[in-house]
Amino acid sequence: MVLLQGVLLSALAATGLASPSLDVSGRNSARQAAGYSPKQPPLKTPWTDKVGTDPWPEHPRPQLQRSQWQNLNGVWGYQNASSLDAVQSPPVGQKLGQEVLVPSCLESGLSGIQGVYTLYSWFSNSFKVPDAWKDQQVLLNFDAVDYEATVFINGKKAGFNRGGYYRFTLDVTQYVKVGQQNEVLVFVHDPTDDGDYVIPIGKQTLRPSHIFYTPCSGIWQSVWLEAAPKAHITKLDLDANMDGQVNMTVHTSAVNATQNVVVTVHDNGKVLKTHSGPSNRPFQFNVESPELWSPDSPRLYNVTVKMGSDKVQSYTGFRTIAKGTVDGVVRPILNGEFVFMFGTLDQGYWPDGLYTPPTKEAMVYDLKVLKELGFNMVRKHIKVETELFYQACDELGLLVIQDMPSLRPSQRKTNPDDCSSSPILPDDQQQAEFARQLDVLINQFKSFPSIVTWVIYNEGWGQITDYHPEFELTDRVKQLDPTRLVDSTTGWYDHGAGDFSDNHHYANPQCGTPFYSASSSPYDDTRIGFQGEFGGIGSNVSIEHLWNNQAAIDTINQTYEIDETIDAWNYRSHFLLAELQDQVKRFACSGGVWTQTTDVEGEVNGLMTYDRRIKRVDEDQWKKDIQGLYDAALARSNTTMSAS
């Protein structure tokens, strides 16, 4: 067994490049881009050539914004490292051999590296702390580094983080020099599925093949600085329900102290409510008659929180998601009414950026396509996105089913004694780390109103079956976030945990029905009947719209079904959606997930091609078929629902 070294620290490193000049507003006023150029990816999107060297300029944390911040995205120094031992000898004051675009996946074309087996890496940059910040705490934020990151500031070890999908913040005040250039070095170790490592990786693999894709290593989400008072707000837990009750916890840097915080809910400059409460403890207050958030009307309200000299901006939406019985069938209930949840399996992969969308515009484009077709939900499949993704879902009115990134999926090991094989599953320490990172997922994202369901296990990947850990993990999630539903096991090994009886079946649905296949479990009428995956039908396209990798092209026929023309693809789609509609009418189907939003590498079963240049959908037909699902669900209850 190989264990990740707990001594590893991840650090953004200083580089010998000319240092970027930063202004207090948070934008880079100049960039040194010499030496960096993107590699030619196997496929480009309409946004590939728009990325430039100033990527992702938006404030990356929409629910806790301060006015004083600086974006550190752009061209950094990079060099490959040979082993874990490299972290013991940080290249302080040295110019690294290559240049890389941050944020990006090292394996992507946009990174300028397009590496393979990038298990160990150094990153470097430098920044200037403005004189105006001299009496403030300087906070260095990494929104996602895959997988272990060790950070050095001016040659001193400043922090460590493990987990490839989540943000972490380092208070680097003691390491920086105000008004001067400061070097930041980051050592990254990303084993993916190398050797005996069993860590949350989703669909990533060092050996891409059909439904498992090119990995993403390194700093793949934004890096940024902010200034805050010594006693400052670190996190907001914010839930607003359909009755107008706001439930809050304002976490602070002084975790063992309590200070007064003032919360103001406002709308277009009009103050709706001001309330005072204690920091680091839950408190509640009410807003009178708020407009509710839903897919039909994604109403959001601004929130300002003050504590001493610290002031942050946030937002919320008033809504309640629950489980209830409607006409004898257990249903998901949004704001007191049955909501039929219908969306796509959304992998969040891009041919030019892999895990990192080329731009925010590109990322939101996918969501707008879904919304315009009539989908009211998206299942974020075993990947976690930038917080700007969830803000976009909040604003557009898309329900989110959020997966926990799975442990090593569908891989087996061979016993050398008898050549038998068994699935690669976590040991006790690895399972404990999976549970810890599940906690981190819930705690970071539980204030986004669009998220309505957490998924723990997908199709048994990394799921221990000698006992049933999903029961304990479900209780754990419910304790951390009692406001949402939990789909404990979507597909395969369902032992009765959680709120959903979730079936996966390709291509035809089996949603809440009295029939099922060997890979799923019988419908359990004490829980919500749900079609967690179906569809998956594909149609091949010309080479200019394919991931131009021969190994991927060779596996295209492994797609669940290949339709020879777009007309045939739309005919089959209509047939399958009509079958799902019939199950809604006859049985106990409360929602479904169509596979998938776009093609990914060797899969050609998306509503759009991987480059987002071709839509396969007959839009009029799809809009009618999706509305037909909502209409059929409405006929089974006394609630009001639409596809808008």
Side-chain angles (χ1 to χ4, degrees):
M1 179 190 68
V2 180
L3 292 177
L4 298 180
Q5 287 193 358
V7 296
L8 280 181
L9 295 172
S10 58
L12 284 172
T15 166
L17 306 175
S19 303
S21 172
L22 299 168
D23 62 37
V24 180
S25 66
R27 297 298 301 115
N28 296 309
S29 57
R31 278 295 179 204
Q32 170 91 5
Y36 164 77
S37 62
K39 302 288 187 182
Q40 179 70 27
L43 185 65
K44 296 172 72 173
T45 72
W47 300 274
T48 305
D49 296 329
K50 298 179 181 180
V51 174
T53 56
D54 231 353
W56 288 88
E58 301 85 3
H59 193 295
R61 195 179 59 200
Q63 289 193 318
L64 203 162
Q65 294 192 26
R66 292 186 177 89
S67 59
Q68 291 184 307
W69 74 288
Q70 296 180 352
N71 195 328
L72 298 186
N73 294 341
V75 177
W76 289 47
Y78 169 80
Q79 71 183 29
N80 187 47
S82 59
S83 71
L84 285 172
D85 293 337
V87 74
Q88 306 299 331
S89 303
V92 178
Q94 302 175 32
K95 180 175 180 176
L96 303 188
Q98 293 177 270
E99 293 183 347
V100 64
L101 191 68
V102 170
S104 64
C105 302
L106 290 173
E107 295 84 353
S108 72
L110 285 176
S111 73
I113 305 298
Q114 211 164 36
V116 178
Y117 275 69
T118 51
L119 304 185
Y120 314 101
S121 304
W122 281 108
F123 293 79
S124 71
N125 204 348
S126 64
F127 59 87
K128 185 177 180 180
V129 178
D131 291 335
W133 291 14
K134 66 180 180 180
D135 296 322
Q136 302 283 298
Q137 303 300 110
V138 180
L139 307 178
L140 177 59
N141 299 284
F142 296 83
D143 285 343
V145 181
D146 197 0
Y147 173 69
E148 287 184 329
T150 305
V151 181
F152 301 84
I153 303 294
N154 293 327
K156 296 182 178 179
K157 196 161 56 179
F160 168 79
N161 185 74
R162 175 180 295 142
Y165 296 93
Y166 314 111
R167 71 167 182 245
F168 63 99
T169 299
L170 302 176
D171 187 335
V172 297
T173 310
Q174 64 179 308
Y175 305 108
V176 299
K177 301 173 184 177
V178 175
Q180 301 181 38
Q181 291 296 327
N182 297 274
E183 181 188 55
V184 56
L185 283 167
V186 185
F187 181 78
V188 178
H189 173 214
D190 183 19
T192 311
D193 55 355
D194 181 48
D196 293 332
Y197 287 101
V198 180
I199 63 175
I201 55 175
K203 287 284 192 86
Q204 300 181 75
T205 178
L206 293 170
R207 296 162 288 276
S209 177
H210 195 49
I211 67 168
F212 301 108
Y213 315 135
T214 305
C216 173
S217 302
I219 304 170
W220 68 276
Q221 288 189 28
S222 289
V223 185
W224 51 290
L225 291 168
E226 64 182 328
K230 185 172 183 179
H232 58 269
I233 298 164
T234 57
K235 187 165 76 78
L236 299 178
D237 293 342
L238 178 56
D239 171 67
N241 66 32
M242 61 180 287
D243 298 318
Q245 184 181 71
V246 179
N247 301 282
M248 285 195 73
T249 302
V250 179
H251 301 268
T252 75
S253 56
V255 294
N256 296 319
T258 299
Q259 291 184 251
N260 185 61
V261 297
V262 179
V263 181
T264 303
V265 180
H266 46 103
D267 179 40
N268 294 322
K270 180 182 178 182
V271 173
L272 303 181
K273 183 75 173 183
T274 298
H275 181 83
S276 295
S279 65
N280 298 312
R281 295 210 307 258
F283 60 88
Q284 297 82 33
F285 61 91
N286 287 287
V287 173
E288 186 175 352
S289 302
E291 295 180 43
L292 301 186
W293 185 95
S294 72
D296 293 338
S297 179
R299 191 71 163 83
L300 299 172
Y301 291 88
N302 295 317
V303 177
T304 301
V305 183
K306 296 180 181 179
M307 185 187 74
S309 59
D310 197 16
K311 177 181 177 181
V312 299
Q313 302 294 336
S314 189
Y315 72 88
T316 193
F318 290 82
R319 62 99 183 94
T320 299
I321 187 75
K323 178 177 66 174
T325 301
V326 179
D327 295 339
V329 179
V330 179
R331 303 290 196 185
I333 306 295
L334 178 66
N335 299 332
E337 299 177 344
F338 166 35
V339 57
F340 186 88
M341 298 193 293
F342 190 62
T344 57
L345 196 73
D346 196 73
Q347 310 271 14
Y349 260 83
W350 297 82
D352 44 15
L354 301 176
Y355 258 19
T356 307
T359 65
K360 180 183 177 183
E361 176 191 10
M363 179 185 73
V364 174
Y365 173 80
D366 280 5
L367 299 175
K368 287 182 175 179
V369 168
L370 299 180
K371 186 69 177 180
E372 289 167 2
L373 286 172
F375 291 100
N376 67 0
M377 177 268 287
V378 62
R379 178 182 167 200
K380 179 46 60 180
H381 187 42
I382 50 181
K383 180 198 175 189
V384 183
E385 297 285 358
T386 168
E387 294 190 13
L388 296 173
F389 174 91
Y390 304 96
Q391 180 189 31
C393 292
D394 292 342
E395 293 172 345
L396 290 170
L398 280 169
L399 305 168
V400 177
I401 295 176
Q402 176 62 52
D403 290 12
M404 173 64 187
S406 59
L407 297 167
R408 200 161 175 163
S410 290
Q411 292 185 356
R412 304 181 71 83
K413 57 185 176 183
T414 301
N415 185 331
D417 295 331
D418 59 8
C419 293
S420 63
S421 68
S422 59
I424 299 176
L425 294 173
D427 60 24
D428 289 346
Q429 289 175 287
Q430 292 161 342
Q431 180 68 13
E433 178 62 19
F434 175 78
R436 185 193 70 82
Q437 291 190 32
L438 176 62
D439 290 356
V440 175
L441 170 69
I442 307 303
N443 283 323
Q444 180 174 339
F445 293 96
K446 65 182 180 181
S447 294
F448 288 97
S450 55
I451 299 177
V452 294
T453 299
W454 305 110
V455 173
I456 299 175
Y457 286 115
N458 174 75
E459 293 189 346
W461 297 351
Q463 181 182 352
I464 297 167
T465 54
D466 291 344
Y467 62 99
H468 303 153
E470 63 268 24
F471 284 94
E472 179 184 350
L473 292 174
T474 299
D475 291 342
R476 189 171 182 147
V477 172
K478 290 281 190 180
Q479 184 175 10
L480 288 172
D481 181 12
T483 71
R484 288 182 175 85
L485 303 175
V486 180
D487 191 346
S488 304
T489 54
T490 177
W492 298 17
Y493 307 132
D494 182 5
H495 304 107
D499 298 310
F500 290 82
S501 180
D502 188 332
N503 177 287
H504 288 193
H505 191 253
Y506 289 103
N508 306 69
Q510 300 175 337
C511 185
T513 63
F515 47 86
Y516 63 98
S517 59
S519 61
S520 284
S521 301
Y523 165 60
D524 174 3
D525 64 9
T526 67
R527 295 180 293 157
I528 297 166
F530 197 72
Q531 191 65 47
E533 293 180 27
F534 80 114
I537 59 175
S539 175
N540 207 346
V541 291
S542 55
I543 188 63
E544 62 264 31
H545 301 292
L546 285 176
W547 177 251
N548 194 2
N549 173 284
Q550 193 58 49
I553 292 171
D554 290 344
T555 64
I556 282 175
N557 280 337
Q558 294 179 27
T559 302
Y560 303 106
E561 171 184 306
I562 294 290
D563 302 313
E564 293 188 355
T565 66
I566 294 295
D567 285 344
W569 184 89
N570 276 290
Y571 164 77
R572 285 289 292 149
S573 300
H574 173 68
F575 179 87
L576 295 170
L577 292 171
E579 189 170 358
L580 182 67
Q581 183 183 136
D582 190 60
Q583 292 174 11
V584 175
K585 293 176 180 177
R586 292 175 179 269
F587 305 119
C589 181
S590 291
V593 178
W594 179 272
T595 301
Q596 55 188 339
T597 306
T598 72
D599 296 351
V600 184
E601 300 194 1
E603 290 186 279
V604 292
N605 53 1
L607 303 179
M608 295 180 283
T609 52
Y610 196 18
D611 59 5
R612 277 72 169 174
R613 296 182 190 272
I614 295 178
K615 294 180 184 177
R616 289 188 175 89
V617 291
D618 178 327
E619 294 190 27
D620 289 340
Q621 172 197 304
W622 272 79
K623 288 177 182 178
K624 291 176 183 176
D625 286 342
I626 291 172
Q627 184 61 49
L629 295 171
Y630 301 127
D631 291 344
L634 176 60
R636 291 292 306 273
S637 69
N638 296 317
T639 63
T640 301
M641 173 176 6
S642 73
S644 61

